[in-house]
Amino acid sequence: MRRLPMHARAGFNFFGKYGMMKHTQPKALRASAVSLAITGMLVAGSAYAGTIDNTNNTAGKLGACGADDSMTTACVGAWNLGNVDVTLTRAEDATPSGKTFDPATGNYAPMLVGDSFASMVKDLAGKVMARLTGKDWPVGEPTGIKAVNGDNKVSNGKPENCLINTSYLGANDSSTGLDAYLDSTSPEPVICSSGFQSHKRFKVAMLASTVANKANGEAGEGIDLVFNVTDNGSLTPYQVFSKINNYTDKRLGGYKIVVGRGLGTDFRPAGDLGIADKLHVSLGLGEGGSKSQGAVTLDGSDLFEGDGLATFSHGLFGTADKNFDANGFFDTRTAGFSVVQSCSEGTCTTYPNPYAPADPAFNLLNSDTIASTTKLESNYGTLFGDWLPSQWQPSGIFHDDDNDPTTDAVLKAWWNGSAWVLNNDSGSAPVTEAQFAAWAADPLYSVARIEDVLNLGINYIVKVGDDLDNDPGTTTSDFTIRIIPVVADNQDEPSFLGSDPTPLEPAPVTPVTPVDPVVSTSDGGGCSASTGKTPVDPVLPLLAALGLVGWGLRRARHH
């Protein structure tokens, strides 16, 4: 687990009487005459499908925006900013920087290291419901969300289109092996196929306004992200790369995602509008495949791991794998939620799965809702209880192991309420005095909040078709992705708040009062006296007196 560095930094019934689809592995997949290599358009969507796109894409450079790949032009046009205020801020304290952003063109005032942005998402009445962020400049730029279409380098049958963060690639992912951020000579934006931990996920901080006056166990108010669509023919799938973070001031028991149209009290789910067949969400169940030379072979696999649909950081909860060289700090088990698909209006209708179109057992759902259900078994509940709000973030000691502020620092210990303790693999052993002293003396170690216990990474796909407004006379429309937090039944404070963490400071040095030295003119047999300033030997005055007497006698003899 790594800490975000400063410049990279923020009894409910889900279904009632309606049908649902649990996330389970489909029954054994049998061979079919139609199980063959097909072009990616069957999985990733036709080029003539309903399209979400930026209005200012850079020609010839996927994921970039601006007429000349300008470093001061953000992608706009895909995310509808009608209910969003985009503000350029100072990363250190999130206060407005005074710099300007034009939501129509995407042009913004030049940013410097220490600059960032925040996109404040409002409801129909203008109340701020969420703070959406990405990465601080130069790793990221406004607005936090852009669309990418036609990324044919994706794998496992995932969509070639996505809604993704407005960030740029570091040395591990760029084509040159060098940082390709906005302060480089050739910035490279993230796209759907960018590598692991390449900052693809935008963060939605769900605010207290979403659950104000909501009882324990009750669903909160929605956070509405609106997207513009151009009619182009059929369904286009978009993978949504996001995290939803608990800044509601309450523990949460889960979340819901609903697609439909409208804002605030005017919002209506797709099923209620009768458009679920051309606007729905998917968990990618049975939609996966393999890819070779641009062609996808569908195999009926799932696009996401069963325990990977709604999870907290793998660096905190998970096993070592190709992406992580160590087990999770708190547990080797994944922490998060199970997730299901459902419909707001009656039982979901279905449509054929391209993998096995003749077999209704593999049909896909026209579901307008996905929602978390049970919590995955892990130490999260044991250590923290239900999904923590921001005011209860635990404290950790972090090591900036590469002395690079653009990368995340490594979590070394956390404060459990009474002591600093090491990771789960150590048996949560206490930090020794020697370790603590060494860390305190090293400026690359520091204490910070462990924000990732608030942040839930969610995986889903939204499929978008034509004529969402049911008006054949138009060729453009929009739709809404609504995010709903659900208040937990228990709101008890966590036990680790029992006492303040011991500061990571060098051990104080006990001052030593200087002692004046004792000077002796003897060989050890005489005595010495001192006033505390200059020591004086009592024999010296006697010798001086005798000397004066002797001098006087000599003068008397000479006269």
Side-chain angles (χ1 to χ4, degrees), residues 11 68 76 83-84 89 100 147 156 211 225 243 346 412 436 446 495 544 550 558:
D68 56 357
V76 293
N83 67 319
V84 181
T89 64
T100 58
N156 303 325
V211 297
L225 306 180
K243 289 184 178 182
K412 305 297 289 187
F436 192 81
S446 61
S495 59
H558 286 114

Side-chain angles (χ1 to χ4, degrees), residues 391-394 415-417 449 493-500:
Q391 74 271 22
W392 292 342
Q393 292 177 75
W415 183 258
N416 68 359
R449 299 294 188 181
E493 287 191 0
S495 59
F496 60 78
L497 295 179
S499 62
D500 292 335

Side-chain angles (χ1 to χ4, degrees), residues 363-377:
N363 280 359
L364 304 178
L365 290 179
N366 290 317
S367 57
D368 61 9
T369 303
I370 59 175
S372 60
T373 55
T374 58
K375 291 178 287 188
L376 301 176
E377 289 293 329

Side-chain angles (χ1 to χ4, degrees), residues 400-418:
D400 185 3
D401 58 337
D402 55 4
N403 196 21
D404 182 353
T406 68
T407 62
D408 299 333
V410 180
L411 178 62
K412 305 297 289 187
W414 82 287
W415 183 258
N416 68 359
S418 58

Side-chain angles (χ1 to χ4, degrees), residues 41-46 49-50 148-149 158-162 235-239 287 461-464:
M41 59 189 261
L42 282 178
V43 177
S46 167
V148 174
N149 289 275
K158 289 183 178 178
E160 295 183 354
N161 321 294
C162 60
L235 279 176
T236 303
Y238 286 82
Q239 183 173 352
E287 299 182 46
I461 296 163
V462 59
K463 299 182 181 181
V464 186

Side-chain angles (χ1 to χ4, degrees), residues 179-320:
D179 286 342
Y181 299 142
L182 286 162
D183 58 351
S184 68
T185 56
S186 183
E188 295 182 30
V190 297
I191 56 178
C192 312
S193 61
S194 295
F196 180 75
Q197 288 193 325
S198 57
H199 312 309
K200 292 189 286 188
R201 295 183 183 271
F202 55 89
K203 289 184 174 183
V204 182
M206 304 177 290
L207 301 180
S209 53
T210 62
V211 297
N213 303 315
K214 296 296 180 180
N216 292 354
E218 191 175 359
E221 302 295 333
I223 298 162
D224 295 331
L225 306 180
V226 182
F227 296 91
N228 298 316
V229 182
T230 300
D231 295 351
N232 270 329
S234 184
L235 279 176
T236 303
Y238 286 82
Q239 183 173 352
V240 181
F241 290 96
S242 66
K243 289 184 178 182
I244 52 175
N245 307 337
N246 185 4
Y247 284 79
T248 67
D249 294 341
K250 292 185 178 182
R251 289 185 180 274
L252 297 179
Y255 73 97
K256 291 175 66 177
I257 303 289
V258 185
V259 292
R261 302 196 70 222
L263 283 175
T265 54
D266 288 347
F267 175 82
R268 294 176 64 190
D272 185 40
L273 294 169
I275 59 172
D277 59 329
K278 50 189 174 183
L279 175 63
H280 52 267
V281 285
S282 167
L283 296 173
L285 308 179
E287 299 182 46
S290 58
K291 191 171 186 178
S292 176
Q293 297 181 340
V296 175
T297 301
L298 297 177
D299 56 17
S301 61
D302 295 340
L303 291 180
F304 309 109
E305 296 292 334
D307 62 356
L309 295 169
T311 60
F312 295 102
S313 167
H314 191 99
L316 296 181
F317 301 91
T319 56

